[in-house]
Amino acid sequence: MEADTVMDRLVCGDVGFGKTEVAIRAAFKAATDGKQVAVLVPTTILAFQHYRSFKERLKDFPVNVAYVNRFRTAKQKSETLDALKNGKVDIIIGTHQLASSSVKFKDLGLLIIDEEHKFGVSVKDKLKTLKNNVDTLTLTATPIPRTLQFSLMAARDLSVIKTPPPNRQPVDTQLIGFSEEILRDAVSYELQRDGQVYFINNRIENLKDIAGLIQRLVPDARVITGHGQMEGKQLEKNVLDFMEGKYDVLVSTTIVESGVDVPNANTIFINDAQRFGMADLHQMRGRVGRSNRKAFCYLITPPYDMMTSDARKRLEAIEQFSDLGSGFQIAMKDLEIRGAGDLLGAEQSGFINEMGFETYQKLMQEALEELKDDADFEKLFDNEEDRQKLFKSVKDVNIDTDLELMLPDFYISNTEERLLLYQKIAEITNEADLHQFELELIDRFGALPKEAVNLLKSVSLKWLAADIGFEKIVMKNGVFLGYFPGNPQDKFYQTDRFRHIINYLTRNPAEAQLKEKSGKEGNQLMMRKEKVKNVDEVNILLKAIIEHN
């Protein structure tokens, strides 16, 4: 927030992992520095709950917190908006109303968007036009495909909260058909341990019927209903009574999905689960298991053959990813099922499926490469280092080799452990971390075999190859080939970096040679080195070329 550039950060943390805490601290920082903060939330219930949380946390500080939602009277809203315009309100919490033209700020410094996946593109873009230099903090457990794609391609910053609260247990998730027996047993079990139950049914017409059914099955249960068409004060009272433990079962629509925090609720039923998106299901499941007790989520669905293929995939993913911190994997799965959407249009999903994810990433990278030397584009970056950082993050050099680059199963026998270590290798970004990772491997599993040494050296090789400007490298039959950009008009060929490479190879012809390979799409320039025994030899050569620069 204190950097010269405007912040645009996505904080991805699972439900109950403390995203609201991050928001409160960021808002406090902005407010105490004399800036106003707008907190945009998707539901009226959540606006009220956030208001209580912010007010409670900041009560000992000179920070004025207010909120607007449809429960407030016209007079209350008018007074709040006047105070906001005059700078008397430091933190304003509200629903979509904050995006309306009637809301004026004196000096807005921070915009917090909670449950980002609940908002359409138009609302988010409208908010960004409030002021050009507003820092934006976006909070979500399951980012929509487009938002996630923006973060993965480094167009915005991404922070992931991976550490669960202490003593938190995963929610036991089960797919079931509608069964009075399971319903009765689960509600009775919850009441026996003094817990509470949610029953989510997204049709208002039969809410009372379901409440009556639960009352008939479990006569001791105190049942209450809640939905968005209720009179505002009544709905607020019902939800608050449930939060305070005056009722055992809340039968409601999805109004409780976002951010409602009832630590004593440990069982949730979701009726017609196949009608919901993955983010919705994950969010609703996050309403339970917020204390140290074992929690249960029952997804009530029709038989498998009556559901669409996408619905089946969504439910299987929700059932599979029920561990703590699995929101990010669910979002990645959603990206895979629905595609990433139009980055500059109104579609938040789709489109990428038409061409495949790999091809899309390659096209995106090529478009960015073309833009990086554009005069207008250069102004977005303060210095060369910033520019290189962005393009290095999207550039990935392919390695094609007959050398064995792997963690062999005789070295690490557990398949899951091997996959985790491969994932860690993929996340390493500098030599110091790579060396530390190597020491950890030796400490845990003993001396590295030849295949593992080559694997770690190949990570360095990728970085060096990207620094030099190779598109692809091939190491086969003791020969190394480094391919330069295929387009002869590429601006790379006019850079000092390329001139230094030519200079080095002219002075050291025994090290490597420049060759030209003819193909269908024209000639391609490449560097060739023969009699290569291992990856390290190539690393030494590339380092020498870079240091010569």
Side-chain angles (χ1 to χ4, degrees), residues 34-37 84-85 87 105-110 131:
K35 294 284 185 181
Q36 288 178 306
V37 182
L84 185 69
K85 189 177 176 182
F105 295 89
K106 186 178 182 186
D107 186 10
L108 180 64
L110 175 65
K131 203 174 173 192

Side-chain angles (χ1 to χ4, degrees), residues 31 34-37 62-64 79-91 104-108:
K35 294 284 185 181
Q36 288 178 306
V37 182
V63 175
N64 191 5
E79 287 171 356
T80 303
L81 294 180
D82 281 347
L84 185 69
K85 189 177 176 182
N86 297 327
K88 291 175 184 170
V89 169
D90 300 304
I91 300 173
K104 300 274 191 269
F105 295 89
K106 186 178 182 186
D107 186 10
L108 180 64

Side-chain angles (χ1 to χ4, degrees), residues 11 104 123 401 526:
V11 176
K104 300 274 191 269
V123 175
T401 180
M526 60 187 184

Side-chain angles (χ1 to χ4, degrees), residues 9-25:
R9 182 167 291 277
L10 171 70
V11 176
C12 186
D14 220 337
V15 280
F17 272 40
K19 297 187 295 298
T20 306
E21 179 62 27
V22 172
I24 290 173
R25 291 176 184 218

